[in-house]
Every structure is written in structure tokens, then in C-alpha cells.
Amino acid sequence: MTSILQNRVFWLLLSLLAPGLAFAEPSINVSVDRKEIQPGERVELSVQVATEANMNGRANLEAPELDGWNLVGRYERTSVDSYRNQKLTTLTLVLQPDRTGPIKIGAFKLKIGRKTLRSKPIKISVKADSSQGKSTSSTPAPKDPNVPDETAYLAWEVDDDDVWLGEAIEARLVLYHREGL
């Protein structure tokens, strides 16, 4: 009788713990907020890397050369899910083009041991404003309030956008700053 009970307890514990033992394969995902811009505008490039949580620096992310781009902002966010044994790092680069025409952002590489994952290159079209040649005004365009300051800025981050009245939410005030200040 005790062996049957022990067997059931073993299988119950295994079924409760098994989802936490599974881990998704390492991955890299690169995206931009838009693919067409005008000179002076900025593009936000997001690089999401998912790895095993306890890798302790064994994953190496290599960025491509950013020819045709000026890096005007950079911030990084890392979260660890101990239940799934997964670490998710999001690197966001704010880029401003230094020329017009199509500009390519090369592939990012994620090296984990002997395995190398590559993202797909992204092409951004920088089109000169057709009204620029007709305008004689030298007034600069107003600054977009949604574009981060080049030095530092604060942003609220909320986990859930769809909440009930009176429901508790988790919100974080995050300071993003430019490295090397």
C-alpha cells in the first residue's frame, strides 16, 4: 500500500515540476519600429536574446557594423524566469541615419558554445522629404516627444495594459542612460 502511495506522490511531483524543466532553444530576434524614415528621424532597433538562465556569460552577442548609422541611444533590459530556466535580454539601439537611400543593418550573431545563431539583415529606406527643396524656411522640424533624449530619460513600464478597475498592477519607473557619461 505504501509503495502505491509513494508511486502516486512521485508522479504527482514529477507532473508539477516537469513544465519548469523544459527549456526553449536559444533564440535571437531582431526588429525595427519602422522601415521607412526621413533624414533626421530615428529608428529603434530591438534585439531579443533568449538563453538558458544559468549560462553565466557563455552566450556572446556580436553586433554588425552599423555603417550609415549614428548610435544616439542604447539601453538593455534583462529578465530571468527561474521557473522556465530562461533569461531574456532585450537590447534596444536608437539609430539615426547619416545619409539617404537604402541602408542595411547586418545580421547579429549569437554564439553559444559551438553553436552560432544569426538574425536576418534589415533594410531601412531613408527617403528625402520631397517638400524640402520647395521650402525656404530654415526652421527645424519640432522634436518628437516620443524619441528619447540623447543623454538620459525616464519611462514607466507596466506589465499588463488590459486591467480591471481596482486591480493591482506592477509598474516600474526605469532610468535609461547613455553609457560612457
Side-chain angles (χ1 to χ4, degrees):
M1 180 76 166
T2 57
S3 68
I4 294 173
L5 183 59
Q6 287 175 341
N7 196 14
R8 286 186 181 174
V9 170
F10 171 76
W11 287 109
L12 176 64
L13 287 174
L14 184 62
S15 67
L16 291 173
L17 295 175
L21 299 175
F23 171 72
E25 287 292 315
S27 65
I28 182 170
N29 182 29
V30 178
S31 62
V32 290
D33 61 342
R34 54 203 170 138
K35 293 196 175 196
E36 271 191 27
I37 61 171
Q38 293 182 355
E41 293 183 332
R42 298 174 179 179
V43 171
E44 209 170 273
L45 173 73
S46 293
V47 182
Q48 289 186 331
V49 175
T51 60
E52 205 172 319
N54 56 0
M55 293 199 62
N56 296 332
R58 289 184 284 162
N60 185 21
L61 179 65
E62 293 180 12
E65 289 294 323
L66 295 172
D67 293 329
W69 296 101
N70 294 316
L71 180 65
V72 294
R74 175 190 187 275
Y75 48 98
E76 185 174 329
R77 182 172 125 179
T78 301
S79 61
V80 177
D81 184 346
S82 60
Y83 182 70
R84 292 189 181 103
N85 191 30
Q86 183 178 31
K87 180 169 92 172
L88 181 65
T89 301
T90 303
L91 172 66
T92 303
L93 303 176
V94 181
L95 304 172
Q96 189 169 19
D98 61 8
R99 65 175 187 256
T100 59
I103 306 177
K104 181 178 157 185
I105 299 172
F108 282 77
K109 295 178 189 173
L110 177 64
K111 292 184 178 181
I112 302 172
R114 295 181 182 173
K115 187 175 186 179
T116 301
L117 302 174
R118 287 182 176 80
S119 68
K120 293 183 179 179
I122 298 174
K123 287 185 183 176
I124 307 291
S125 178
V126 182
K127 295 185 177 182
D129 187 7
S130 60
S131 65
Q132 273 183 336
K134 298 176 187 173
S135 174
T136 57
S137 171
S138 62
T139 307
K143 186 173 179 182
D144 183 355
N146 295 322
V147 174
D149 183 272
E150 291 187 16
T151 305
Y153 73 98
L154 293 170
W156 282 101
E157 293 183 356
V158 181
D159 289 340
D160 193 2
D161 294 333
D162 187 24
V163 295
W164 295 86
L165 181 61
E167 178 182 356
I169 61 170
E170 182 179 327
R172 292 174 302 281
L173 181 60
V174 181
L175 170 66
Y176 296 101
H177 65 92
R178 192 172 190 177
E179 284 189 15
L181 293 177

